[in-house]
């Protein structure tokens, strides 16, 4: 009845019990009637006579097959975990949930961080994290401990033993039963330094290109802009001379009201010139991308202010239909303004070649669910069907002096903001450029 | 409407018109403002004496075209052409067509008053005396 593997151990324990008179507690396998072995726990004690000799046994025997199976499953699962942990192709570590101290890291983690498992044991994850990333990680770990989330991922920087920074994608989940506060967290770390570097390069490249195109757009606009600035300056000078004439003529009492009126006009004109210069400097400055929340209608107004005199001299009528109460956009205001400026300049350029009597540009803003739509519609000669797809590519231009960078950089700016830029021919004449941008609420979520 | 010498100003920029009006009012010269060449042509009588200040770049008929049109009509109104920086070829054609002066914006208002002021202008005085 007793399993052959358990026979010797069981008999030995009983023998020892009889000799030393301690209660016994033995687990062993017995063959059931069905022929299968089941696990049983036997506890008991020998009853002795007055001479101290054992006469009979008293105690209990219990079927513990289920418990034994569960224990076995657990042991196997732990073994599996250990082998996965050791051999995993990604860096894995175990940390104490309360202190953040490392309990263990695998060899991939050792490779990544430069410290050995022994060196890491006892160190906390805070010691190897970039200071700016600790707070977010702490907050999420707290949520994990409080059971509000059951795992989290974040991108952060670790500090290698040699002091260099490693960009990682971190995933943390608790070890053990989800009902109680986990004692340990398992952390899985993926090295994304290379991806981050490429992203950063692409970003810098786009910034540089955006700057160069801004400069070249302004270069093309230089004559119109000089005119635009000279207008108010000429006004200022003329008003000022009028004041002097009045002051000299009407001795001893100048015409006070008239002077106040004219000086007020000088103020307005100098502000007008200043605003144009300010707008230009913002566009020309080499700058880091700054993300703020702003109004698209303001961007349209700014861009149209810069192109106003050019449009006027080309005898082009610029209309705007701007929707009120549009949600704000989150992004780089200057870059979006640059895109609108590019598209308006493009439309002016198209109309310059046009012989048509209708010389119109219509700039509209509207909302389409979670998207802000800006469309810029011209009555120019339009684009060939073949060119509609290609016109947004870099170095493709239908104009003789164009480099074709303006539209392609515009598209990459819009796409970097999570939006879309495309062009469609109008049913009658000219084309319409469409810009889609997600609203601020959308970008935050 | 007017037989007194007048400075006629044609400029599409409202601030430019207003400031010139202030200037000529202060200098004591008669002046009339027009926002476009078309507006000027609608009311102008070739017998009116004076001079014409024209902006080169304007929507519709530009300064050069108006100057050309007037010389086709045999109007001998002296023309002072205004322009932004960089319109040298246009300046040359304006002067070739007989413009009295070519002024780049921003300009010196005092010398403009000197050029235009009808009291000092031999042509206007002559015209005026004849009339």
């Amino acid at each position: 009845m007793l399993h052959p593997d358990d026979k010797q151990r069981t008999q030995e324990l009983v023998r020892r019990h009889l000799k030393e008179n301690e209660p016994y507690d033995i687990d062993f396998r017995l063959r059931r009637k069905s022929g299968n072995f089941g696990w049983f726990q036997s506890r008991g004690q020998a009853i002795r006579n007055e001479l101290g000799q054992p006469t009979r046994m008293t105690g209990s025997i219990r079927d513990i097959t289920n418990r034994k199976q569960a224990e076995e499953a657990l042991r196997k699962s732990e073994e599996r975990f250990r082998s996965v942990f050791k051999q995993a192709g990604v860096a894995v570590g175990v940390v104490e949930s309360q202190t953040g101290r490392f309990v263990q890291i695998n060899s991939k983690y050792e490779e990544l961080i430069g410290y050995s498992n022994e060196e890491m044991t006892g160190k906390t994850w805070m010691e190897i994290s970039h200071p700016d990333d600790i707070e977010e990680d702490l907050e999420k770990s707290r949520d994990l401990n409080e059971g509000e989330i059951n795992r989290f991922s974040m991108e952060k920087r670790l500090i290698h033993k040699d002091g260099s920074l490693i960009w990682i994608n971190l995933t943390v989940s608790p070890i053990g039963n989800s009902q109680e506060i986990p004692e340990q967290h398992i952390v899985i770390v993926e090295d994304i330094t290379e991806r981050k570097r490429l992203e950063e390069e692409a970003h810098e490249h786009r910034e540089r290109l955006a700057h160069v195109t801004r400069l070249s757009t302004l270069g093309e606009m230089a004559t119109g802009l000089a005119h635009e600035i000279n207008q108010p300056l000429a006004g200022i000078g003329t008003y000022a001379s009028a004041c002097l004439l009045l002051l000299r003529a009407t001795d001893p009492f100048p015409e006070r009201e008239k002077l106040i009126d004219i000086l007020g006009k000088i103020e307005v004109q100098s502000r007008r010139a200043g605003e144009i210069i300010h707008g230009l400097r913002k566009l020309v400055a080499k700058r880091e991308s700054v993300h703020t929340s702003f109004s698209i209608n303001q961007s349209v107004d700014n861009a149209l202010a810069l192109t106003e005199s050019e449009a006027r001299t080309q005898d082009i009528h610029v209309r705007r239909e701007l929707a009120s109460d549009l949600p704000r956009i989150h992004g780089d205001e200057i870059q979006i303004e640059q895109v609108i400026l590019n598209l308006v300049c493009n439309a002016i350029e198209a109309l310059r070649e046009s012989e048509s009597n209708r010389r119109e540009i219509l700039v509209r803003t509207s909302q389409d669910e979670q998207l802000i739509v800006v469309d810029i519609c011209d009555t120019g000669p339009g684009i060939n069907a073949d060119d509609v797809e290609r016109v947004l590519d870099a170095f493709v231009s239908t104009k003789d002096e164009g480099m074709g960078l303006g539209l392609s950089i515009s598209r990459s700016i819009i796409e970097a903001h999570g939006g879309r830029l495309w062009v469609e021919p109008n049913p009658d004449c000219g084309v319409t450029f469409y810009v889609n941008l997600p609203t601020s609420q959308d970008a935050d979520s | 409407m007017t037989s007194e010498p007048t400075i006629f100003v044609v400029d599409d920029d409202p601030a430019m018109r207003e400031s010139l009006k202030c200037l000529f009012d202060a200098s004591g010269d008669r002046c009339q403002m027009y926002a476009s060449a078309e507006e000027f042509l609608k009311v102008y009588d070739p017998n009116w004496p004076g001079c014409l200040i024209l902006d080169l770049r304007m929507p519709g008929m530009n300064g050069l075209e108006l100057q050309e049109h007037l010389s086709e009509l045999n109007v001998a109104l002296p023309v002072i052409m205004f322009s932004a920086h960089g319109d040298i070829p246009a300046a040359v054609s304006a002067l070739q067509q007989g413009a009295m002066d070519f002024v780049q914006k921003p300009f010196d208002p005092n010398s403009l008053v000197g050029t235009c002021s009808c009291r000092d202008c031999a042509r206007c005085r002559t015209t005026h005396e004849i009339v």
Side-chain angles (χ1 to χ4, degrees), chain A residues 223-224 226-227 230-231 233-235 237-239 241-242 245-246 248-249 258 262 265 269 272 309-310 312-313 315, chain B residues 11-13 15-16 18-20 22-23 25-27 55 57-60 83-85 87 105-107 109-110 113:
Chain A
T223 316
H227 186 71
N230 279 334
Q231 266 328 71
L233 287 180
T238 312
Y239 282 131
S241 297
L245 281 172
L246 287 173
R248 288 192 186 118
K258 202 163 195 174
I262 297 177
K265 285 173 177 163
Q269 291 302 307
R272 174 175 156 201
S309 90
E310 186 62 24
R312 202 169 49 222
T313 39
D315 207 4
Chain B
D11 195 312
D12 61 312
D13 188 77
M16 211 51 244
E18 246 187 81
S19 60
L20 287 171
C22 286
L23 180 72
D25 284 352
S27 69
D55 190 29
R57 288 171 173 239
M58 284 187 293
S83 145
H85 174 77
D87 286 322
K105 284 184 196 169
F107 49 85
N110 291 314
V113 170

